[in-house]
Amino acid sequence: MPEAIEHYRIEDEESFADFLYALNDYAPRAANLLHLLRQQPMDVAVQAELMRLFHTIKGDAGLCRLYFVEPLVHAVEDILARIKSGELLFGAALEQVVLLAVDRLELLIAELDSGRAVALRDFNQLTEALHPLGQLPPAQVDEAAWQLVKQLTGFVPQGQAGQQSVATPAQQADLDFFHSLGLQFEQRSALFQGRTERNLILAMACNRVAGMPIDSLQLEAAVYVHDVGMMFLPQELWLRQGRMSEDERVQLAAHPGWAADLLARMPGWDMAARIVREHHERPDGRGYPAGKPGGLICDGAKLLAIIDTFEAVILKHGQRQQARSLLRAVAEVNASEAQFDPKWIACFNQVVRELMQQGDALPHVR
């Protein structure tokens, strides 16, 4: 392998925009073809189409001077060549590895679209980890692939469970109302199916793993209400993929405040209001609406930020008419770890690991 590039900033805006536009088509096509190949591993037509697609991605990356992309795609091509030759059988492990590689490429290209110089260390490490899969003896490939999946999804044990608050009749009535608001938002699109229950399961389990530092009733209220403000925005803005205009960003940044103000006007829900108001803030101070640094963001908001990002990935899969993959969503959250508090990422990962080990499923996610 040639020496890896450590940092990259867009050199040619026009050619980068072309690659970004093309990748928005290539990525879902790759996912759909991998799904087809998983169902029919010996289908030579699907194998050939996948090979052509990744060859096109590599070629486009070279033309657009995104040279750091080429080694990763080359590693995927080596794996596909072994499958096409009959040396390897395409199974679940290789499917997940290639999907995660495509997801990581999409994330990196989206980060570069911000215009900042981006560190490529994690991306290069993934490329290095992929290359042995094109060379290992066939009997060792699946185990190595699953080890790479584990590395990308980062399962780390954390903490012990504490005690859960018990709602008074008045609090339960409020929670029932908040729940109804969450379900109203969920019913606005078939793509939101199951989101309220998914978010609650993950948030409560993460809080339990962390030792219950967040009041469970306040967290439950925040989960139900945090996106209710989206109902005051145009529906096309909720489901927008790709770059937004500055006016659209301003509109979107208002939605946490609307939901937080609703909670703040109801006695006893001050912490829930704060969680909702801060859940789009980031530890590096680049979040919204106030640009607070990590030390000023409450634990509940740090946790809800992770849950909300997980849900955004699930929504993206639905928009692309792909199966909603728990494993891929977790990997994408971990790839964006600079946006989140490491303590809560560790809790989130442990919860997902427990769900997978126990065979439990989140609603409408495989």
Side-chain angles (χ1 to χ4, degrees), residues 1-7 67-68 71 120-121 123-125 127-128:
M1 274 179 60
E3 187 175 347
I5 303 168
E6 295 184 356
H7 292 81
Y67 302 120
F68 58 89
L120 301 180
R121 185 191 63 179
F123 187 81
N124 291 335
Q125 287 177 348
T127 299
E128 290 175 7

Side-chain angles (χ1 to χ4, degrees), residues 83-364:
I83 293 166
K84 188 177 180 182
S85 71
E87 185 182 356
L88 295 179
L89 182 65
F90 185 72
L94 290 177
E95 179 189 23
Q96 292 301 328
V97 162
V98 178
L99 284 169
L100 293 172
V102 173
D103 288 344
R104 192 63 62 92
L105 174 59
E106 279 197 284
L107 283 170
L108 179 59
I109 295 301
E111 191 175 357
L112 284 168
D113 192 36
S114 69
R116 299 190 300 272
V118 175
L120 301 180
R121 185 191 63 179
D122 291 345
F123 187 81
N124 291 335
Q125 287 177 348
L126 170 59
T127 299
E128 290 175 7
L130 278 172
H131 272 279
L133 300 181
Q135 302 161 0
L136 284 171
Q140 298 177 21
V141 168
D142 264 17
E143 182 180 355
W146 283 124
Q147 286 298 319
L148 178 53
V149 169
K150 183 178 180 181
Q151 176 185 327
L152 291 171
T153 52
F155 300 118
V156 182
Q158 176 80 25
Q160 300 295 324
Q163 299 297 314
Q164 184 161 330
S165 303
V166 178
T168 66
Q171 288 174 321
Q172 189 58 56
D174 285 347
L175 287 171
D176 290 343
F177 170 62
F178 300 149
H179 187 212
S180 70
L181 292 178
L183 291 178
Q184 282 293 321
F185 179 54
E186 184 176 314
Q187 291 167 13
R188 294 298 178 94
S189 171
L191 293 169
F192 295 156
Q193 190 175 20
R195 75 188 305 275
T196 304
E197 187 180 354
R198 273 196 302 275
N199 292 350
L200 187 63
I201 289 170
L202 288 171
M204 292 304 182
C206 289
N207 194 32
R208 170 186 57 77
V209 164
M212 303 291 284
I214 309 164
D215 183 277
S216 60
L217 299 181
Q218 299 290 326
L219 180 59
E220 182 178 354
V223 167
Y224 290 149
V225 176
H226 73 281
D227 271 344
V228 164
M230 297 285 275
M231 289 194 285
F232 298 103
L233 297 172
Q235 184 169 348
E236 58 269 20
L237 195 57
W238 313 344
L239 305 176
R240 173 69 53 82
Q241 294 190 76
R243 190 180 301 182
M244 292 184 179
S245 69
E246 187 57 34
D247 285 346
E248 289 170 334
R249 290 180 188 278
V250 170
Q251 289 184 66
L252 190 66
H255 85 270
W258 293 331
D261 287 347
L262 169 66
L263 287 165
R265 284 169 169 76
M266 299 183 67
W269 299 107
D270 291 348
M271 179 49 67
R274 182 180 174 188
I275 292 171
V276 171
R277 198 178 304 278
E278 296 178 358
H279 82 279
H280 281 293
E281 303 289 357
R282 290 176 44 157
D284 61 7
R286 290 177 170 167
Y288 65 84
K292 289 186 175 183
L296 299 180
I297 304 169
C298 67
D299 270 337
K302 292 175 180 177
L303 170 57
L304 191 54
I306 297 170
I307 306 300
D308 199 52
T309 299
F310 170 84
E311 191 61 42
V313 179
I314 295 298
L315 175 61
K316 180 177 73 173
H317 291 169
Q319 286 175 299
R320 292 178 170 181
Q321 298 182 332
Q322 298 170 4
R324 296 173 170 188
S325 166
L326 174 63
L327 196 61
R328 292 175 66 199
V330 171
E332 192 158 330
V333 168
N334 276 268
S336 307
E337 61 183 359
Q339 299 179 25
F340 308 120
D341 185 294
K343 178 187 78 173
W344 287 107
I345 281 286
C347 296
F348 175 76
N349 287 334
Q350 182 178 343
V351 166
V352 174
R353 182 183 69 177
E354 291 175 354
L355 287 170
M356 296 180 72
Q357 287 178 342
Q358 295 166 10
D360 295 334
L362 291 170
H364 305 286

